[in-house]
Amino acid sequence: MTSPGDAAPVRPPPSFSPGVPRVASKSRYPDQRRDSSPALDADLVESRIGASPPPPLASTTAELPLRSASPHARSLRPSTPQLARSSLGSPIEGRGEVAEDLRSLILRAFSPVVGVYASVDTDELVQQKGFKGGFWDLIRPFGENVPGKLVIRDSVGASRGWDDYGVRFVDLGSSQWASVPGTERVSPLTQVEEVLEKQLNPDGSLLGGTLGAKDLLSFSSTSPLYKMFLRQLLSVATATPHETFRHPVASIIVISSRNTSPLETLRRLYADTSNGDRRLPGWIHPEYLRYYVLVHDEDRDDITESTKLYDQMKRHFGLHCHLLRLRSNQCVVTDDDSVQVPECEWLSPSERLSDQAAPLVDLDTDGLPYLFDSDVTAIKAFVRELVAQSVVPFMENRVSVWNDQVASRRRGFSGRFMSMSRRWAGFGSGSRSSFAGAGGGASGNYDSGHGFYKPGVPEAILRKMADFAFMLRDWKLAASTYELLRSDYANDKAWRYHAGAHEMCAVSTLLGPISGPTKAKLEGIDQMLETACYSYLTRCSDAPNALRCLCLATELLKFRGGSAVESAAKWAMRAMDLGLVGSIGQGLLSERISACYAARNPVTGVKWGSRRRKAGMWSVLAADLWLKLGRPSLASACLEEAERLYADVLDGDGAFPMPEIQAFIDNLRHAVKVEYLETRGLDTQDHTVPADPLETEETSEKLDRRKNRRSLMTNPLDSAGGFNLEQGIRDNDNPANDDFERA
């Protein structure tokens, strides 16, 4: 079998062709890019960015304030104008609070899933409170952040508290369980791009709010737009056989105090989840925790009768029960004890683009749902009790049992011997050999006809155990289990399982407490990511999971710091080269590449080792991309950041020695001003825009055609044998050019 490293370069799958122009390096799979990343030639970056821009427009002085002085010690030329923004964000992000925020975002993306199945009377009670979706709509926002610190024990018995733990409540009757993975009519990545476009549209609203350029760039580091991109990317995954993160760990069976036959209704609802209408697909393990809830109507029912019924529930169904006391009346903003319901953070792209993203209730106020303070307190207490006393202990118990009964045998000498016997001689398959006749692999457990392992076989149990350990944040156990499974999935030719095991093994290793990313560890992680990306794209045509893998690698490697940030930039460039993101994603990833290079600090005690010039170059490329999309505020922010980055490393009079690159920067800055006037509805004829001395007639014509504007990266001087910026990036993608960083 050909190894992924020896195979042909990975091309985007035929089924996914977003049709986005590629603006990064046009090299194919970056085999020759393994040692370094694109950088400007030393001759191009020996001075500060750009010559003096044209004088500020007299009629738009209030809208185009110029920064009076640079924060740096050296004197700089007039900098990029700040286009009507109070605080433009920088693509630079340190390893402080914001880096921890992105890490927490990734951790919360892999939270346990809890199904919800409520009786008809319960949904009617909740709908009277204004929530059209019933009980699931009511409690869904409260599960994303469990109140207080949650203590979790790992496999060795050590305990640690987490402040950012949460669960995902899903409706057991939703269509995600009935749909077959990979049969979506619209690509999830296309939906992510549409959500981002909706966010960028000043006239488009999202969840009752409007997001403009100032809001997008209100943070001092990572922009909310990039966080939205990452959050939406991590929300596209539905339940699939090859990973169990979206399989329910538990389910809530709910009745209300209005029910006339409560115990019989609970038994019927349980039967529906086991072998009835709400039964999950065959590739989901049916043995998950059942939790029983009685909703008491505080406004109309007697608490004494509800308490008696609750005691009967505990005697019949065990201790996994809860009495939730809610008012059935609808709360309005004018009430003294009204509390706004928190916004759902993990809405999928399809939900944000559909009517489900509309306000949950119809009020005469701002359209946001409200609850009584007593209801909010009761729901938060219910969620904490559910997670802390039932869900987490259940997961800890399952991991312990599977580790002792399945994983320990697989790790032992006998398990390795039987694995080798099945691989080379076909021994040890036993009664499971019937699957091999149906197209199974070496172990005989993989059903290639349906494309999954049955829930009871060791390969499926170990994958579920590794996912449970990951959600419990036991990185060491998760990484070792994923590593144990990689060879089994490869032998069975279960390629989607194979790709997922490599991806999560790399992610678990990066999240674990390793003492610095040494070169050997980085090489091992890069090999796992390479294999995962190759299997996702070439063997499975799974573009969403491939992009998720590359983005997780970028963020976690950047968080590690040191030499890992250059590897992070490489994987972000890989996502751009493969065409996995649209036009907005290209701009966001260009900013992240700039942030990766800027996070590389010089070697202690010496003045070389930083990558500030590479960071500045990628910030310029991001500005060009935002300008193509008609977003001058974002382009101006990137130009301003590029100027700051170059000011740290360049000496001289602040002019590029090559007039072509100087013309490119000046034209880009001038185009930002022209685009800003157009977006504000101002006539460029009434507001004189001084001509740039280095701007040609062809460039001016190109800047005035907003709909058909091409990228300024293809400078008109190229046709005359001048400098092509993109070609310069490829020509300077050479390890020898890194020596210029020591200057």
Side-chain angles (χ1 to χ4, degrees):
M1 181 177 62
T2 305
S3 63
D6 300 330
V10 177
R11 309 300 299 166
S15 59
F16 180 77
S17 54
V20 216
R22 294 170 55 186
V23 298
S25 172
K26 291 184 180 178
S27 59
R28 300 180 73 188
Y29 240 28
D31 296 330
Q32 66 274 20
R33 191 186 298 177
R34 194 175 300 277
D35 298 330
S36 65
S37 302
L40 287 175
D41 190 90
D43 294 334
L44 305 180
V45 290
E46 289 183 354
S47 59
R48 193 173 57 249
I49 186 171
S52 299
L57 308 179
S59 58
T60 57
T61 304
E63 290 132 351
L64 296 174
L66 290 177
R67 189 173 55 187
S68 59
S70 171
H72 304 285
R74 67 166 61 93
S75 176
L76 295 178
R77 300 188 178 195
S79 58
T80 303
Q82 299 180 3
L83 302 181
R85 62 189 191 277
S86 57
S87 175
L88 281 180
S90 162
I92 302 305
E93 176 196 334
R95 295 182 60 193
E97 233 176 80
V98 181
E100 288 286 351
D101 186 35
L102 281 179
R103 188 174 185 269
S104 174
L105 178 70
I106 294 174
L107 296 184
R108 290 184 288 112
F110 298 93
S111 298
V113 169
V114 178
V116 178
Y117 186 23
S119 61
V120 176
D121 54 280
T122 305
D123 285 338
E124 291 176 353
L125 185 151
V126 176
Q127 287 169 358
Q128 290 180 5
K129 299 175 66 64
F131 292 83
K132 299 179 181 179
F135 187 77
W136 168 67
D137 266 348
L138 173 66
I139 67 172
R140 182 185 185 184
F142 296 95
E144 295 176 349
N145 189 11
V146 177
K149 180 174 291 188
L150 192 67
V151 179
I152 302 177
R153 293 182 304 171
D154 58 18
S155 57
V156 297
S159 300
R160 179 176 177 181
W162 299 91
D163 294 323
D164 58 346
Y165 203 81
V167 295
R168 304 274 190 90
F169 289 116
V170 299
D171 186 9
L172 285 182
S174 61
S175 59
Q176 67 166 323
W177 310 109
S179 60
V180 179
T183 60
E184 299 86 355
R185 294 183 178 179
V186 182
S187 170
L189 297 185
T190 303
Q191 293 180 338
V192 172
E193 190 76 11
E194 292 177 2
V195 171
L196 296 178
E197 184 67 32
K198 197 173 181 180
Q199 290 284 65
L200 276 175
N201 185 7
D203 298 329
S205 59
L206 181 63
L207 293 178
T210 301
L211 197 58
K214 292 183 180 180
D215 301 318
L216 290 174
L217 297 170
S218 59
F219 292 167
S220 60
S221 49
T222 304
S223 67
L225 182 62
Y226 179 76
K227 291 183 179 179
M228 171 63 72
F229 165 72
L230 189 60
R231 185 183 298 111
Q232 288 299 288
L233 180 62
L234 296 174
S235 301
V236 298
T238 56
T240 56
H242 79 279
E243 62 181 20
T244 64
F245 292 115
R246 297 297 180 264
H247 297 192
V249 175
S251 68
I252 303 174
I253 298 176
V254 193
I255 62 170
S256 71
S257 54
R258 300 178 179 180
N259 197 291
T260 56
S261 55
L263 297 182
E264 291 76 7
T265 302
L266 288 174
R267 293 190 180 94
R268 180 178 55 81
L269 297 178
Y270 174 84
D272 289 344
T273 61
S274 299
N275 49 20
D277 297 338
R278 300 301 174 95
R279 183 181 180 181
L280 300 179
W283 36 267
I284 296 180
H285 204 291
E287 296 180 4
Y288 49 87
L289 177 69
R290 264 71 170 189
Y291 196 89
Y292 302 90
V293 177
L294 172 62
V295 178
H296 169 69
D297 185 356
E298 291 278 85
D299 293 326
R300 294 175 176 81
D301 293 334
D302 184 8
I303 185 61
T304 305
E305 297 297 327
S306 297
T307 304
K308 294 179 180 178
L309 176 58
Y310 177 63
D311 292 336
Q312 293 181 8
M313 289 173 54
K314 289 192 293 184
R315 288 195 299 268
H316 283 80
F317 302 104
L319 298 178
H320 296 292
C321 300
H322 186 85
L323 175 62
L324 179 61
R325 303 173 63 173
L326 299 176
R327 297 182 60 180
S328 58
N329 294 332
Q330 183 173 349
C331 177
V332 294
V333 187
T334 55
D335 294 334
D336 296 335
D337 57 345
S338 62
V339 178
Q340 182 179 336
V341 174
E343 180 183 351
C344 287
E345 181 182 7
W346 296 101
L347 290 174
S348 65
S350 59
E351 288 177 314
R352 291 193 181 276
L353 294 173
S354 65
D355 295 336
Q356 297 183 34
L360 299 177
V361 292
D362 297 327
L363 300 176
D364 295 334
T365 58
D366 55 359
L368 296 175
Y370 283 81
L371 285 173
F372 295 105
D373 182 65
S374 58
D375 292 346
V376 173
T377 303
I379 294 174
K380 288 183 177 180
F382 156 65
V383 171
R384 176 164 182 83
E385 180 180 327
L386 167 69
V387 177
Q389 299 184 15
S390 295
V391 173
V392 170
F394 172 77
M395 297 175 67
E396 292 174 345
N397 177 266
R398 292 289 87 196
V399 169
S400 176
V401 171
W402 291 332
N403 194 20
D404 292 339
Q405 296 181 357
V406 183
S408 60
R409 297 179 181 178
R410 178 65 178 80
R411 293 190 183 99
F413 176 78
S414 60
R416 295 181 182 179
F417 176 76
M418 295 303 294
S419 178
M420 293 176 60
S421 301
R422 289 195 301 268
R423 186 184 312 175
W424 300 110
F427 300 140
S429 57
S431 60
R432 297 174 298 181
S433 60
S434 58
F435 285 98
S443 68
N445 290 329
Y446 181 64
D447 186 358
S448 61
H450 296 86
F452 62 86
Y453 290 95
K454 288 194 173 181
V457 302
E459 290 82 2
I461 292 176
L462 288 177
R463 173 65 204 230
K464 193 174 184 69
M465 168 191 158
D467 291 346
F468 273 29
F470 190 94
M471 290 186 288
L472 292 174
R473 304 181 182 182
D474 189 353
W475 319 123
K476 186 175 180 180
L477 178 61
S480 62
T481 309
Y482 288 127
E483 186 174 2
L484 192 68
L485 288 169
R486 292 186 300 169
S487 59
D488 291 347
Y489 294 151
N491 296 331
D492 291 343
K493 294 181 174 56
W495 298 124
R496 199 178 296 271
Y497 287 85
H498 180 255
H502 279 81
E503 175 195 5
M504 298 313 300
C505 185
V507 171
S508 302
T509 304
L510 289 172
L511 288 171
I514 58 177
S515 57
T518 62
K519 183 177 181 181
K521 291 178 180 177
L522 283 179
E523 289 178 354
I525 291 173
D526 285 347
Q527 182 59 41
M528 286 187 284
L529 295 172
E530 183 85 28
T531 305
C533 183
Y534 179 86
S535 294
Y536 274 138
L537 288 177
T538 305
R539 292 161 171 162
C540 306
S541 298
D542 192 346
N545 277 327
L547 181 59
R548 183 189 73 174
C549 174
L550 295 176
C551 289
L552 290 178
T554 299
E555 294 304 322
L556 295 178
L557 284 168
K558 180 181 179 296
F559 178 78
R560 283 294 175 183
S563 59
V565 297
E566 297 197 46
S567 182
K570 179 189 72 173
W571 293 115
M573 284 185 278
R574 176 72 64 83
M576 296 177 66
D577 287 342
L578 293 175
L580 297 177
V581 290
S583 54
I584 298 177
Q586 294 266 349
L588 293 174
L589 288 183
S590 297
E591 291 185 1
R592 295 312 291 167
I593 295 172
S594 176
C596 290
Y597 282 129
R600 178 67 187 270
N601 297 321
V603 180
T604 306
V606 295
K607 296 183 179 180
W608 56 270
S610 66
R611 298 293 183 266
R612 310 288 281 186
R613 286 180 286 189
K614 289 184 179 180
M617 180 270 295
W618 278 101
S619 189
V620 171
L621 297 184
D624 181 71
L625 288 168
W626 290 126
L627 183 63
K628 287 197 309 178
L629 296 176
R631 306 295 170 180
S633 295
L634 299 176
S636 178
C638 294
L639 279 178
E640 184 180 348
E641 187 58 39
E643 181 176 297
R644 188 184 72 83
L645 290 166
Y646 279 124
D648 285 342
V649 295
L650 300 179
D651 299 323
D653 59 353
F656 283 97
M658 295 185 65
E660 292 84 359
I661 189 64
Q662 185 71 63
F664 172 78
I665 298 297
D666 292 339
N667 291 338
L668 185 59
R669 184 184 290 111
H670 181 62
V672 169
K673 292 184 179 181
V674 174
E675 186 74 21
Y676 177 74
L677 291 176
E678 293 179 359
T679 55
R680 293 295 296 268
L682 302 177
D683 190 0
T684 55
Q685 301 296 331
D686 298 336
H687 299 80
T688 304
V689 180
D692 196 308
L694 295 176
E695 183 178 313
T696 64
E697 182 179 354
E698 183 180 350
T699 306
S700 301
E701 182 182 358
K702 181 170 58 179
L703 294 178
D704 293 335
R705 295 178 179 177
R706 180 176 180 181
K707 294 183 179 179
N708 300 320
R709 180 177 296 121
R710 295 177 297 171
S711 172
L712 289 178
M713 290 170 59
T714 55
N715 195 283
L717 296 174
D718 297 342
S719 59
F723 176 73
N724 184 296
L725 181 62
E726 187 173 358
Q727 182 65 39
I729 295 172
R730 296 198 304 270
D731 294 341
N732 288 279
D733 187 10
N734 193 310
N737 290 324
D738 286 341
D739 296 335
F740 290 115
E741 301 292 342
R742 306 182 183 182

